[in-house]
Amino acid sequence: MKANEIMVRQVYKVKEGDSVRDVIEKFIKHRISGLPVVNDRNEVVAYISDGDIMRFIGKHDDHVFGSYFYTAVIKGDNQEFHERVQSLLPLNVMKIARKKVFTVDSDEDIEQIAAILGKKRIKKLPVLNQGVLVGIISRGDVIRHSFQSIL
C-alpha cells in the first residue's frame, strides 16, 4: 500500500507569513494538533504542533552553568502564564515552528511510513508529490489501513 492510497487529501495548513493566532484558530476549529507550514508554491517549509505551543507557554526554569572559573545563570520566565499566552498570539508562525520536517513521497510504502512515524516519534507526515504538499498521513491512518482487513 502506498502513501497516496491512505493519505488524507484535505490538508489544513498555514502560510509562512501567518501568525500563531491563525494556527490556534485552526487547531480549535478543526480539532487538530498540528499543521504544515507552506510557502506560496505549497512547499512545506516547517511544521507546527501543539507541542511547540506547549514549549512556548510552559514555565521555563532558570538554568545555572558553572565551572571552576565562572558561573552563568540563564534566567527562565519573568512573565506570568497569561502574559506568555498573550505574547504568543501575534508571533509569526516561523518563530516557533520546527524547520526540520520529515516528509514522505506520495509513492512511499506504508511499511516505510510506519517506520518513520515510529522511529522519529512523530504523529503526522506531510505527503509530497514533486516537492509539493498533496496530503498528510497520521499514525491513526496507518493503523486503520494496516489492520482493517484482518479484524
Side-chain angles (χ1 to χ4, degrees), residues 1 18 28 48 57-59 63 67 78 85 90 93 96 100 107 113 120 128-129 146 151:
M1 194 171 301
D18 288 347
I28 293 168
I48 185 159
I57 65 174
K59 178 91 174 126
H63 292 283
S67 72
N78 56 4
V85 168
V93 66
I96 65 169
K100 183 178 181 182
D107 65 353
I113 295 165
K120 301 299 182 187
L128 309 180
N129 186 1
S146 298
L151 292 179

Side-chain angles (χ1 to χ4, degrees), residues 76-89:
D77 294 316
N78 56 4
Q79 289 182 313
E80 294 295 322
F81 179 75
H82 71 278
E83 293 172 322
R84 284 192 304 277
V85 168
Q86 286 294 323
S87 68
L88 175 65
L89 293 175

Side-chain angles (χ1 to χ4, degrees), residues 45-110:
V45 295
Y47 194 89
I48 185 159
S49 71
D50 53 359
D52 301 317
I53 305 294
M54 293 302 109
R55 278 186 286 282
F56 188 92
I57 65 174
K59 178 91 174 126
H60 301 105
D61 296 327
D62 293 347
H63 292 283
V64 178
F65 301 94
S67 72
Y68 183 74
F69 298 106
Y70 72 93
T71 300
V73 177
I74 297 175
K75 294 296 280 175
D77 294 316
N78 56 4
Q79 289 182 313
E80 294 295 322
F81 179 75
H82 71 278
E83 293 172 322
R84 284 192 304 277
V85 168
Q86 286 294 323
S87 68
L88 175 65
L89 293 175
L91 288 181
N92 177 276
V93 66
M94 295 301 288
K95 294 264 189 212
I96 65 169
R98 293 183 181 253
K99 279 74 170 180
K100 183 178 181 182
V101 183
F102 295 100
T103 63
V104 292
D105 196 67
S106 61
D107 65 353
E108 188 66 70
D109 288 320
I110 193 169

Side-chain angles (χ1 to χ4, degrees), residues 3-16:
N4 59 22
E5 298 174 71
I6 66 170
M7 69 184 187
V8 174
R9 286 172 166 59
Q10 181 184 6
V11 182
Y12 300 111
K13 59 192 172 193
V14 290
K15 296 275 190 169
E16 59 189 338

